[in-house]
Amino acid sequence: MNGLRAASLDLGTLLLPEIMLSVGAMFVLLYGVFAPEGVVSTRRAHLLAIVVTLATAAAAAMLANQAAPLGAASGPLAWDGFRWASVAVILLGVLGSLVMAMEYNEGAALSAPEPPALVLFSATGMLLLVGSRDLMLIFLGIELMSLAIYVLTGLDRSRAGSAEAALKYFLLGAFSTGFLLYGMALVYGATGTTNLTQMAAVIESRTLGTDPLLVGGLALLFVGFSFKVAAVPFHMWTPDVYEGAPTPYTAFMAAGVKTAAFAAFARLLLDGLGPAYASWHYAAWVLAAVTMVVGNVLALAQQNVKRMLAYSSIAHAGYLLVAITSRSADGVASLVFYSLAYTLATIGSYCVLSIVSGGIEKRTRLTDLAGLARTRPALATAMAVFMLSLLGFPVAGGMGFFAKWYILRAALNSPTPQIKLAVIFVLASVVSAGYYLGVITTMFMKPPADDALPSRGVDARLTGGVVAVAAVLLLFLGVYPSPAVRWARASTMPMSPARAVAAPTPMQALAPVNSQPMLP
Amino acid sequence: MGTFYTVHFWLFSALAIVAALAMVTRRNPVAAALWLVNVMFALAALYVMLGAHFLGAAQVLVYAGAIMVVFVFVVMLLNLGENDVQERRSMGAAAASSLLGGVLAAELLYVIRSQPLNDSVLQPVDNDAMAPMANSLFTENLVAFEVTSVLLLVAVIGAVVLAKRGKVAGEART
């Protein structure tokens, strides 16, 4: 009867990447039903998942160059550069962790076809998260993403740490979901809509910016999202979970969840709640400052590289919050650019850890990296590139330097300049040199530990390939960043209210026309 | 208001009250939980008779189904016996629950007094609440609906993977 409404949204096109990923995941599961149990089937299931990811990436690339289908302008699903750029970054992370997992899982007790399917399901949730413009879909995306990751964290039942991490992550995650949902309910109560476009219009027209119901909802949303992106003071779970989870899934978590959750957070704050900027600006500011400082300081004390990277990922959540706080097209572009650099460096460094530890999770202490430059010079060099990139070191750190620089510039050029925050950002980055350079000195200047690593004898050639690709890409884009910059600038997202912004920043002026303003 | 309606109204009302009384007097927590299921079902029937079909169905699904399973699960998990329940029944708890019950009864009495109960209140309301709801679910919120089904699939797979993995890992170690 009312088929018109359904037909006015071309869901098949709008959701093509998500549909491809989830249907692909189901095929991987079906393959697992009919294939005999064993290492060969596990490898094939992972290969199938990789093919599905590649096909999805190709489809997304094709869609990104197409005009938006009917109903995309204000519907529940966005069709803008920001979505496609985030999709590309996430799929890159998925690919890296699938390759790593394929070799890691061989011979381990993990050999089964379900893990790659769960990775694909989780990726479906991530893609949904970056593409949705509706509170309901954002919530479902977060849940889909998280639920699969809880399971992946606890996959290795032969280690108590894995089960502990999964339980901790699940309980705290479920708790934080409560905050998120309550916040969404209050925001819905204040504005009467779950659609971000309409929400912005309602807040602006009825000047709801300081409405207690909306502010209360905002506070709860901040708690929920801070947990998902691991911002201080909601970061307690991160080191334990990152350390306990099998390394490939730690990488997946660190890269994918962060990118997806930040994309959704940015869209929610800048698009839907943009007119209430005055209400959330200070909260985001404090969150960013505290997260940068605490994350970096605590990382200094870590002896386990996985834990250290966990605290480093907390610090990076702080840097990304700076990009959101600056609320400009510049900020959005720097968010995307930073996500790409962070994903490459994170996936790369976890791949190195996976190779060095030979699949034995206890072998991820800092001392296990000692003398790596002598035993595996290429690997040590790549790790040095990743560390310098996370630090934001010029030239040798490749793209990482420009990523930090763009965030800094966005903060300073913002309509409301964030000078103090920029200072904290720089100081926190200086502190982070303490532990990133510590890894490098351990690898290059300390003698190898006398006990030779008893490797599980897992073939890690493809993981090595991921390391090489990530390092080369980082260096290449560090020397020649223009393509990535152009790509990041094209990843615009409709922000409301555009007219409240005083003067267009240079990047806004340069932004291509394919960004669709949603407000009339 | 037909006789059929009246008979069933009193039937389910009586069932709800009796089951609620039975629930609070049981000593075995599992028995109390099962009586609570009875209360929920009787209330669901009353909702349906009042024309609130969706509310009735949701009552059965959510309260009589999901919430009760969780209750029974917790009871089993904590392994509560009759003695434990006896020990937990203190004077303070009794006073607090009587107070809360009293407040609720007063509220209900006030509402009923302020709006005299007549036949029209007991009449089934002829509003078709299901059509707009179904319409919204399968058109506007179709994507959310479908994503929910994927979410449930992931939950099922996750549970199976975790349960199965334990066995396989144990075999691998021995």
Side-chain angles (χ1 to χ4, degrees), chain A residues 105-407:
Chain A
N105 288 358
E106 263 174 31
L110 308 176
S111 82
E114 286 94 354
L118 284 171
V119 170
L120 291 185
F121 276 124
S122 181
T124 311
M126 291 172 185
L127 294 202
L128 196 71
L129 203 48
V130 302
S132 48
R133 216 158 35 191
D134 191 285
L135 288 183
M136 230 183 315
L137 290 182
I138 290 177
F139 176 73
L140 286 169
I142 285 190
E143 281 307 284
L144 186 55
M145 169 179 90
S146 308
L147 210 57
I149 287 188
Y150 300 147
V151 179
L152 290 172
T153 306
L155 215 50
D156 190 355
R157 290 285 294 268
S158 60
R159 274 188 310 121
S162 177
E164 182 203 330
L167 191 66
K168 198 173 263 180
Y169 196 17
F170 174 68
L171 289 179
L172 289 174
F175 193 54
S176 80
T177 296
F179 281 97
L180 197 67
L181 198 56
Y182 206 155
M184 286 178 174
L186 288 184
V187 169
Y188 173 70
T191 59
T193 175
T194 56
N195 184 302
L196 297 190
T197 316
Q198 289 165 18
M199 189 181 294
V202 168
I203 293 175
E204 217 191 349
S205 67
R206 288 203 262 138
T207 53
L208 282 175
T210 51
D211 183 60
L213 207 56
L214 186 79
V215 174
L218 255 173
L220 292 173
L221 281 176
F222 261 87
V223 173
F225 268 105
S226 297
F227 178 88
K228 291 293 171 200
V229 302
V232 178
F234 308 101
H235 66 290
M236 304 296 184
W237 58 275
T238 318
D240 291 343
V241 172
Y242 277 31
E243 191 191 358
T247 308
Y249 305 121
T250 310
F252 181 53
M253 228 186 294
V257 172
K258 193 139 294 192
T259 308
F262 257 107
F265 200 24
R267 200 186 281 281
L268 182 66
L269 285 180
L270 301 177
D271 187 359
L273 298 166
Y277 178 63
S279 300
W280 60 257
H281 162 247
Y282 189 60
W285 195 100
V286 172
L287 207 59
V290 173
T291 305
M292 285 188 289
V293 172
V294 173
N296 279 318
V297 170
L298 289 181
L300 286 173
Q302 302 309 317
Q303 290 306 314
N304 182 310
V305 184
K306 267 173 108 178
R307 279 186 93 83
M308 187 210 85
L309 284 173
Y311 278 108
S312 130
S313 96
I314 294 172
H316 284 275
Y319 304 150
L320 289 167
L321 274 168
V322 175
I324 292 184
T325 312
S326 57
R327 197 188 63 139
S328 58
D330 242 356
V332 173
S334 67
L335 185 75
V336 170
F337 192 87
Y338 201 98
S339 302
L340 178 62
Y342 172 77
T343 298
L344 285 174
T346 306
I347 292 282
S349 43
Y350 280 109
C351 278
V352 171
L353 268 189
S354 173
I355 296 172
V356 171
S357 64
I360 296 165
E361 291 288 347
K362 276 183 198 151
R363 296 267 171 194
T364 52
R365 291 162 306 172
L366 197 53
T367 47
D368 292 321
L369 286 176
L372 193 67
R374 220 170 299 167
T375 49
R376 314 277 302 262
L379 210 56
T381 312
M383 188 65 168
V385 170
F386 300 139
M387 290 297 117
L388 289 175
S389 180
L390 288 172
L391 169 60
F393 199 80
V395 188
M399 208 183 158
F401 168 70
F402 289 102
K404 280 212 168 138
W405 191 63
Y406 284 135
I407 287 194

Side-chain angles (χ1 to χ4, degrees), chain A residues 5 29 109 114 140 144 157, chain B residues 140 157 161-162 164-165:
Chain A
R5 251 192 305 170
L29 278 177
E114 286 94 354
L140 286 169
L144 186 55
R157 290 285 294 268
Chain B
E140 277 171 52
I157 298 165
V161 167
L162 284 183
K164 195 179 80 174
R165 281 305 83 204

